[in-house]
Amino acid sequence: MNERFAIKAYLSQCAELIEASLKQSLPAEWDVPARLREAMLYSLEAGGKRIRPALVLSAAEAVLGQDDAKNAALPVACAVEFIHTYSLVHDDLPAMDNDDYRRGKLTNHKVFGEAMAILAGDALLTHAFHLIPQAARRGGVSAETALAIVEDLAMLAGAPGMVGGQVADMQGEQGITSISELEYIHLHKTSDLIAFSVMAGGRIGGATEKQLELLARYGRNIGLAFQIQDDILDLIGDETKLGKKTNSDVEQNKVTYPFLIGIEESKAQVERLTQEAKSAVLEAGFAAPERLLEIADYLVGRDH
Amino acid sequence: MNERFAIKAYLSQCAELIEASLKQSLPAEWDVPARLREAMLYSLEAGGKRIRPALVLSAAEAVLGQDDAKNAALPVACAVEFIHTYSLVHDDLPAMDNDDYRRGKLTNHKVFGEAMAILAGDALLTHAFHLIPQAARRGGVSAETALAIVEDLAMLAGAPGMVGGQVADMQGEQGITSISELEYIHLHKTSDLIAFSVMAGGRIGGATEKQLELLARYGRNIGLAFQIQDDILDLIGDETKLGKKTNSDVEQNKVTYPFLIGIEESKAQVERLTQEAKSAVLEAGFAAPERLLEIADYLVGRDH
């Protein structure tokens, strides 16, 4: 379990870096209505594992083979967290999932009201695209690379990506019957932003087109594994570790992998997807692939 | 009135170009849920004067002094319209202005439901940032310039810009008493995106820093003039030309320029702001300033 300990320490260190950077990511000198700034920071600082931004940093370091890629990659890592956060704020809205709590805290609209939560989400989403050009300013990243990252993010977080997955999820509540429908939802709702994260890190590290493709494959696979693992934990996890009630999917009549193919087959899928993700990383021939391999294992092994 | 006729014809020609381009702006080969695509196009195609994108094209042509700047500028012009459209979709939501109709058509959420309207707005906003890099692909625009346009848009449409103005407007419903509060709202809610439009056109045309500053001043001034003119038309306009009822601001207890400083003084303000906008353009020494000068006059003279 030493390896597991090491990767947890590495992810904590990434999370600390990212949280310090998130706090400064909305320029203090900007004339922003106080309550809007407060609403944005409330959800940004509400925690979470910061897996997506950590993947930006890890992928950049995997390609470069050195520990000093973090500085150039940090603005992009923060951008991913801005996108992830806005998506949670909007998902929780009364017209969407209508959730009152997230990670044990009141959701944005419960604290700031529905109109402000919509606008704070819009502002978080927009600000992600202000952060990416800063990677070019810090040096080490060309304008061409930063622009390619902007284009990737706009696609993978947009209509053909995360938002499309969210729409399919919403429509699916009327009855999903096949694994392929469920896979579509997870691939877009969850995997696309994870694939973006490792591709962006790869671009910053100077990955080749072939390596970017393999990073995308890694991202899609661990994203899907992550989601199925979530479904499994909802059924058989430890409520105190999860920080939320188990069996909520069953109570909400949510169609999940375990529901469609059973627990054992779901676990086998997670294992298979994780192996495929790791193969992609090994095939890419990165200077330092270890972190990415460890993160893939960590996501399967997690109990919360 | 010949000049007025010419500028109307020019703006119509721009609107046609933009509408043709908007129709193709969401790649047909993208695997987007059909209903989401429909919801996005519904509001994109709902008309309007297309003033903002026309300003992108006009500013590029003013700087370059030629009529062929439109090709490189079109993706950015469309991006502005995507942003403007998303802002209307979200503004109309029940939690915000709760409007059932816009330009005589049912609002997005009345047709597609509230959840879809939120997501379609998110997708429109995100897609704007997919369009800007395409200006670099078409040639004539460097990656550095496209990246600067991304950064401008993310600022002027975000928390310190349009969204901030929207928040201030929402908070102001609890009672604005001063012109400076009202000016803050209009400058951000309306002027910032207009200033972005002319700056982006300027960047594409190769404007100097000083010229960009003057374009921003032009944009802010005509944006504010446009908004005050709207307030005036709501009081004394012709309902058939406006396509909406007059006196709606009074009925909704909205604090407007005419309410705070009277009709005559409001008209004088519109005149003063228009002159300041035109001075900025003249000071910039553009190769072909005529269109921008005519558009400033057109916006004051309009009756709908």
Side-chain angles (χ1 to χ4, degrees):
Chain A
M1 288 307 276
N2 264 350
E3 190 190 275
R4 190 156 182 81
F5 181 77
I7 192 65
K8 278 185 91 161
Y10 173 80
L11 289 173
S12 297
Q13 185 210 341
C14 286
E16 261 177 53
L17 258 175
I18 290 149
E19 282 169 13
S21 194
L22 283 174
K23 274 190 211 303
Q24 297 164 10
S25 53
L26 203 63
E29 67 274 18
W30 275 5
D31 185 16
V32 173
R35 194 79 178 147
L36 172 60
R37 190 185 282 267
E38 212 184 314
M40 292 169 77
L41 292 175
Y42 176 82
S43 289
L44 271 179
E45 293 174 355
K49 299 183 206 71
R50 316 293 190 193
I51 290 286
R52 292 160 190 80
L55 282 167
V56 179
L57 307 182
S58 308
E61 291 179 351
V63 179
L64 280 168
Q66 44 192 305
D67 230 39
D68 62 359
K70 289 199 182 73
N71 196 36
L74 258 177
V76 177
C78 286
V80 177
E81 199 62 9
F82 269 73
I83 294 285
H84 179 56
T85 303
Y86 114 75
S87 77
L88 301 181
V89 171
H90 281 187
D91 277 14
D92 289 337
L93 286 167
M96 310 272 284
D97 290 349
N98 195 18
D99 281 318
D100 291 354
Y101 288 91
R102 175 171 293 275
R103 298 185 191 121
K105 286 181 69 176
L106 284 170
T107 47
N108 199 291
H109 64 92
K110 292 304 283 185
V111 179
F112 298 94
E114 213 176 320
M116 184 64 93
I118 294 169
L119 291 167
D122 292 344
L124 288 165
L125 161 49
T126 308
H127 195 62
F129 291 96
H130 196 265
L131 290 167
I132 296 172
Q134 293 178 25
R137 287 245 190 78
R138 292 193 180 198
V141 176
S142 69
E144 282 78 9
T145 297
L147 202 59
I149 293 173
V150 165
E151 203 171 1
D152 285 349
L153 180 58
M155 187 169 86
L156 292 166
M162 190 182 73
V163 175
Q166 180 66 26
V167 168
D169 191 16
M170 189 175 80
Q171 293 176 325
E173 280 161 19
Q174 287 127 47
I176 299 168
T177 51
S178 72
I179 276 287
S180 68
E181 284 173 82
L182 193 55
E183 198 176 275
Y184 178 94
I185 293 168
H186 291 329
L187 273 179
H188 293 295
K189 194 174 162 175
T190 306
S191 290
D192 277 348
L193 197 57
I194 290 178
F196 165 78
S197 302
V198 284
M199 284 174 74
R203 286 194 190 277
I204 292 166
T208 63
E209 281 302 314
K210 177 70 187 163
Q211 287 177 325
L212 289 175
E213 217 175 272
L214 290 163
L215 281 169
R217 195 193 299 170
Y218 167 86
R220 276 195 301 273
N221 281 310
I222 62 166
L224 199 49
F226 183 87
Q227 194 60 53
I228 301 175
Q229 183 69 10
D230 247 18
D231 290 353
I232 296 172
L233 287 173
D234 185 78
L235 273 179
I236 60 166
D238 180 333
E239 289 190 355
T240 55
K241 284 184 182 163
L242 285 168
K244 61 179 177 186
K245 283 206 178 306
T246 53
N247 276 310
S248 67
D249 290 345
V250 177
E251 280 161 25
Q252 292 169 42
N253 289 316
K254 265 182 72 176
V255 177
T256 64
Y257 271 76
F259 176 85
L260 286 177
I261 58 174
I263 282 267
E264 288 315 310
E265 182 55 24
S266 296
K267 284 182 178 171
Q269 280 275 11
V270 170
E271 187 52 40
R272 188 184 58 75
L273 291 163
T274 305
Q275 287 312 320
E276 276 182 28
K278 288 163 74 176
S279 301
V281 163
L282 289 171
E283 192 184 329
F286 293 131
E290 299 79 14
R291 296 302 188 203
L292 292 179
L293 298 172
E294 288 165 19
I295 290 174
D297 281 329
Y298 169 76
L299 292 179
V300 204
R302 77 197 160 94
D303 53 10
H304 67 285
Chain B
M1 287 306 276
N2 265 351
E3 188 189 277
R4 189 152 183 84
F5 180 77
I7 191 66
K8 277 185 92 159
Y10 173 80
L11 289 173
S12 296
Q13 185 210 342
C14 286
E16 261 178 54
L17 258 177
I18 289 150
E19 281 168 14
S21 193
L22 282 175
K23 271 189 212 307
Q24 297 164 9
S25 54
L26 202 63
E29 68 276 17
W30 274 5
D31 186 16
V32 173
R35 195 74 177 150
L36 172 61
R37 191 184 281 268
E38 212 185 315
M40 292 170 76
L41 292 174
Y42 176 83
S43 290
L44 271 178
E45 294 174 354
K49 298 182 207 74
R50 316 291 190 194
I51 288 287
R52 292 160 192 79
L55 283 167
V56 178
L57 307 182
S58 308
E61 291 180 352
V63 179
L64 280 167
Q66 45 193 305
D67 230 36
D68 62 1
K70 289 198 184 71
N71 196 36
L74 257 177
V76 177
C78 286
V80 177
E81 199 64 7
F82 268 72
I83 293 286
H84 178 56
T85 304
Y86 114 75
S87 77
L88 301 180
V89 172
H90 280 188
D91 277 13
D92 289 337
L93 286 168
M96 310 272 286
D97 290 350
N98 195 19
D99 280 319
D100 291 354
Y101 288 92
R102 174 172 293 276
R103 296 183 194 125
K105 285 181 70 177
L106 283 170
T107 46
N108 199 291
H109 64 93
K110 292 305 282 183
V111 177
F112 299 94
E114 212 176 320
M116 185 64 94
I118 294 169
L119 291 166
D122 293 342
L124 288 165
L125 161 49
T126 307
H127 195 62
F129 291 97
H130 196 265
L131 291 167
I132 295 172
Q134 293 179 27
R137 287 246 190 77
R138 294 192 180 199
V141 176
S142 69
E144 282 78 8
T145 297
L147 202 60
I149 293 173
V150 165
E151 204 172 0
D152 285 350
L153 180 58
M155 186 169 87
L156 292 166
M162 189 182 71
V163 174
Q166 181 65 28
V167 168
D169 191 16
M170 190 177 79
Q171 293 176 325
E173 280 161 17
Q174 286 127 46
I176 299 168
T177 51
S178 73
I179 275 287
S180 68
E181 284 173 82
L182 194 56
E183 198 176 275
Y184 178 93
I185 293 168
H186 291 330
L187 273 180
H188 293 294
K189 194 175 162 175
T190 306
S191 290
D192 278 347
L193 197 58
I194 290 178
F196 165 78
S197 301
V198 285
M199 283 173 74
R203 285 194 191 276
I204 291 166
T208 62
E209 281 302 314
K210 177 71 188 161
Q211 287 178 324
L212 289 175
E213 214 175 275
L214 290 163
L215 281 169
R217 194 192 300 171
Y218 167 86
R220 277 195 301 272
N221 281 309
I222 63 166
L224 199 49
F226 184 86
Q227 195 59 56
I228 301 175
Q229 183 70 9
D230 248 17
D231 289 354
I232 295 171
L233 287 173
D234 185 80
L235 274 178
I236 60 166
D238 180 332
E239 289 190 357
T240 56
K241 284 184 184 165
L242 285 169
K244 61 180 178 187
K245 285 208 177 304
T246 53
N247 277 310
S248 67
D249 291 343
V250 177
E251 280 161 25
Q252 292 169 44
N253 290 316
K254 267 182 71 176
V255 176
T256 64
Y257 271 78
F259 176 84
L260 286 177
I261 57 174
I263 282 269
E264 288 316 311
E265 182 55 24
S266 297
K267 284 182 179 171
Q269 280 277 10
V270 169
E271 188 52 42
R272 187 185 57 76
L273 291 163
T274 305
Q275 287 312 318
E276 277 181 28
K278 289 164 74 177
S279 302
V281 163
L282 289 172
E283 191 184 330
F286 293 132
E290 299 79 14
R291 296 301 188 205
L292 292 179
L293 297 173
E294 288 165 19
I295 290 174
D297 282 330
Y298 168 76
L299 292 179
V300 205
R302 77 198 159 93
D303 52 11
H304 68 286

